[in-house]
């Protein structure tokens, strides 16, 4: 009912957080009302999978096939559950997803985790089907024949297969070669794009503490301390909610330097 109401008004709430949250000890994750509802649903779903997977599997088949706010994310999530989704069914269902569904930035982490976690169950033929689907899935672009749109698609596709390779997934030889070719074609390609492909982009909040640990200067010649201090002081780490001010620590602990 909620999905139908959202579709009727043509409006959706804030982006939903990933169903694979990152394990971080600092800060609190922001969860919208819609996100809290989804989390409660998934918690119940996992309990039901443990108790009666066949019933859950039948229930999943009744889910909307093209509902972008809740169920696209949920489909990618349950396809990663071997207890209710055999690998052949997961591959077949993946093939039926549209370009908009596959490339939704809100569900990127679910897509990547699904491919990585079940890669070892797939045959070479299934792997080729999955990667070809991603390669050809570009009808969501403004124009498939626009140069900038094509360049954008190359980048996102190369990020995905590059991330899979980084995570230890064996790529078919043709796709290994494709990755090398695409990296050479993409202007200013950076391997950091692969590293960040599966980031959750969760919104977090917390108190920022100040670190004056001067260890970074321990082996630095005196003549290079000033340049390093200028590059490091006031550095804010969004991963651990720390403002780094090592030069203050150096002045306090080793004023002779």
């Amino acid at each position: 009912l909620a999905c139908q109401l959202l579709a009727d008004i043509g409006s959706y709430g804030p982006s939903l957080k990933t169903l694979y949250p990152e394990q971080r000890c600092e800060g609190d994750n922001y969860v919208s009302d819609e996100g809290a509802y989804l989390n409660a649903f998934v918690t119940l779903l996992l309990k039901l999978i443990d108790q009666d997977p066949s019933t859950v599997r039948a229930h999943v088949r009744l889910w909307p096939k093209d509902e972008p706010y809740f169920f696209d994310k949920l489909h990618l999530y349950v396809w990663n559950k071997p207890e209710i989704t055999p690998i052949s069914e997961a591959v077949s269902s993946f093939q039926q997803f549209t370009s908009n569904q596959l490339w939704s930035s809100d569900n990127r982490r679910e897509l990547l985790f699904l491919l990585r976690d079940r890669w070892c169950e797939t045959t070479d033929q299934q792997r080729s089907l999955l990667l070809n689907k991603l390669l050809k899935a570009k009808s969501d672009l403004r124009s498939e024949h626009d140069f900038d749109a094509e360049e954008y698609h190359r980048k996102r596709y190369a990020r995905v297969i590059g991330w899979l390779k980084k995570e230890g997934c064996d790529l078919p030889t043709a796709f290994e070669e494709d990755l090398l070719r695409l990296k050479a074609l993409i202007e200013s390609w950076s391997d950091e794009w692969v590293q960040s492909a599966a980031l959750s982009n969760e919104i977090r909040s917390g108190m920022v503490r100040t670190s004056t640990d001067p260890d970074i200067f321990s082996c630095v010649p005196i003549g290079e301390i000033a340049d390093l201090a200028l590059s490091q002081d006031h550095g804010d780490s969004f991963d651990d909610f720390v403002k780094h001010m090592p030069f203050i620590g150096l002045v306090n602990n080793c004023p002779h330097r």
Side-chain angles (χ1 to χ4, degrees):
L1 177 60
C3 296
Q4 186 58 53
L5 289 172
L6 289 171
D8 288 345
I9 64 176
S11 177
Y12 296 94
S15 296
L16 297 171
K17 62 177 290 186
T18 178
L19 297 177
Y20 298 101
E22 295 182 45
Q23 300 301 315
R24 294 176 174 176
C25 59
E26 298 286 345
D28 299 313
N29 290 331
Y30 167 76
V31 181
S32 64
D33 291 342
E34 295 86 350
Y37 170 82
L38 182 64
N39 289 345
F41 179 85
V42 169
T43 299
L44 177 60
L45 183 70
L46 293 176
K47 290 180 179 179
L48 291 173
I49 289 174
D50 287 338
Q51 295 177 11
D52 193 351
S54 60
T55 298
V56 175
R57 184 178 179 187
H59 175 68
V60 167
R61 288 176 174 171
L62 300 176
W63 287 358
K65 301 299 184 186
D66 185 6
E67 191 287 309
Y69 195 55
F70 290 111
F71 284 100
D72 285 354
K73 183 184 293 286
L74 284 168
H75 272 117
L76 291 167
Y77 185 71
V78 297
W79 294 341
N80 202 5
K81 302 296 179 187
E83 311 94 303
I84 61 172
T85 312
I87 189 60
S88 58
E89 185 177 326
V91 172
S92 175
S93 299
F94 188 93
Q95 291 291 105
Q96 295 172 33
F97 250 27
T98 67
S99 296
N100 283 312
Q101 290 174 299
L102 287 174
W103 290 113
S104 169
S105 58
D106 291 339
N107 303 331
R108 183 65 50 78
R109 193 169 167 90
E110 282 72 24
L111 173 90
L112 290 172
F113 277 42
L114 164 65
L115 292 172
R116 180 197 66 185
D117 294 347
R118 305 206 65 181
W119 197 256
C120 62
E121 302 174 55
T122 57
T123 64
D124 285 343
Q125 182 182 16
Q126 288 171 328
R127 293 173 184 180
S128 295
L129 284 173
L130 293 168
L131 296 178
N132 266 320
K133 174 66 177 180
L134 288 172
L135 177 61
K136 296 176 181 177
K138 49 186 177 179
S139 61
D140 61 305
L141 299 175
R142 175 176 70 252
S143 168
E144 294 183 43
H145 304 293
D146 180 88
F147 176 80
D148 291 336
E150 184 62 36
E151 180 76 2
Y152 172 74
H153 181 64
R154 287 197 196 106
K155 288 178 182 178
R156 67 183 183 181
Y157 174 71
R159 284 184 78 191
V160 167
I161 60 175
W163 186 85
L164 290 174
K165 180 177 173 62
K166 178 184 76 71
E167 291 293 305
C169 299
D170 292 329
L171 303 177
T173 302
F175 293 94
E176 287 264 17
E177 295 171 354
D178 270 353
L179 178 59
L180 293 174
R181 180 179 58 82
L182 288 171
K183 288 167 67 172
L185 283 174
I186 297 170
E187 187 176 355
S188 64
W189 167 266
S190 170
D191 286 333
E192 291 183 6
W193 297 351
V194 171
Q195 300 292 334
S196 62
L199 288 181
S200 68
N201 296 320
E202 293 176 300
I203 299 174
R204 297 160 59 233
S205 63
M207 297 296 294
V208 178
R209 61 185 177 86
T210 299
S211 171
T212 58
D213 185 347
D215 281 356
I216 193 172
F217 298 110
S218 60
C219 298
V220 176
I222 290 178
E224 298 176 14
I225 286 178
D227 288 339
L228 182 59
L230 289 172
S231 68
Q232 294 294 320
D233 262 13
H234 308 293
D236 298 326
S237 172
F238 295 105
D239 287 333
D240 55 10
F241 287 86
V242 176
K243 179 183 284 292
H244 296 281
M245 303 186 74
F247 188 69
I248 290 178
L250 182 67
V251 171
N252 291 335
N253 297 337
C254 307
H256 61 280
R257 293 204 73 196

